[in-house]
Amino acid sequence: MHLQALRRSPLFLTSLVAMSAVGGVGTHIFLPALPAVQQDFAADTGVVQLTISLAMIALGVAPLIYGPLSDMYGRRPMVLAGTIIFLVGCLVCAFSASLWQLVLGRMMQAAGAAAGYSLSRSIARDVYGQEDTARVLAYLMMAVVIAPMLAPSVGGVLTDVFNWRMIFHFTGVVVFLVLLLFLVGLPETNAVRTGGGFHSMSKGMRLIVRVPFFWGYALQSALAMSVFYAFLAAAPYLMTDVLERPARDYGFWFIGLSCCFVFGNFASARLVGRFGKVRLILFGVAATVILLTGGAILFLTFTLTPFVLFLPTTAIAFVQGLILANSQAGAIEAHPEAIGAAAGLSSFLQLAVAALATQVVGLYANGTVWPMVAVMAGTTVMALLIMPLLRREISSPATDQQRTREHG
């Protein structure tokens, strides 16, 4: 299908949204069930947290394989294979007899979801080109956040009404429908193949690791995601165990946070052409510092309630919307011959760092907000420290257009 026609195809656009959304659904729908899983298997919080952190590592490692292979053999086969792995993982989780089987199933879910999560960026770059990718990704993230926004509420209700295993039966049905959508609505978009063999597979990685601004963008994306996942690691337990609220309450409060993230992505899509990616990232990181400081003061001053818990991170979600779409778009522009490899490596960094943040919060959980606050603050400080990697772009909003001409 011609690229112009593909940009207007409802089935293609729906497929592109589903590719990114389905992984978020698989992650967020399970979060309200963590306390129930802990009780069911009589496990420690840090061990149960492995269902999140190891899944995120799998979600990060798998794109290192999907990305280069998609440069060699095409995007569509990788997306279809990943979706099938995701579906099998849902079945393993639903019928798991032990916590370690559940962890394995979660890792399979994540490894499968990684295909859509990372390659949706490559496919957007294939179809919309370098100049429009940041804008398209911002709008795409607005669209795909709706499903993860509603997922915790659904997961909470399924856990309260049935049990946590019903979450995976429900997710399996959704993933099966998504697989049918991809079979019908997702054509191949990679017109430039890199050839076969290990040498060709590793060539893309060698190209992008030499580009300094790739590391700047990719690490900004990783650290922004870590701020978000530090909150996700703590909030379900604080709501259920400390504040003694039902699992569905976490999901309902999460909706407001997701709405702010949507507004941040909308603002990013409208402002990136005027200010450039780096200025928006710098503003987002600086605003996160201010909001985290205000959040710490709030926690010290007031008794913990759902409103006090969610207010700072809901505000932070808005500025994360400014950071994530622009940092992801910048990372995949590292080299025109290694778009898939750049998407894969940036996804790996993003999710590996976020998994580390998640596990640290779980290991030091003590029934207070402070392990969460410490990790969020640490990742934000690191984001400020790596801003010099992008110093070449700060001088002018037009630098993106300059780099486009340089790469030809």
Side-chain angles (χ1 to χ4, degrees), residues 60 78 126 138 147 167 218 280 282 302 305 308 337 357 368:
M78 297 301 104
D126 293 337
I167 289 174
L280 291 181
L282 179 58
F302 295 96
T305 64
V308 171
E337 296 179 11
T368 74

Side-chain angles (χ1 to χ4, degrees), residues 175-191:
V175 173
F176 178 73
L177 295 175
V178 168
L179 178 61
L180 295 180
L181 172 66
F182 291 160
L183 288 170
V184 175
L186 183 65
E188 180 55 57
T189 62
N190 183 14

Side-chain angles (χ1 to χ4, degrees), residues 317-343:
F318 175 84
V319 296
Q320 298 301 300
L322 301 179
I323 297 171
L324 280 169
N326 289 296
S327 57
Q328 290 170 358
I332 64 175
E333 294 173 5
H335 199 285
E337 296 179 11
I339 294 171

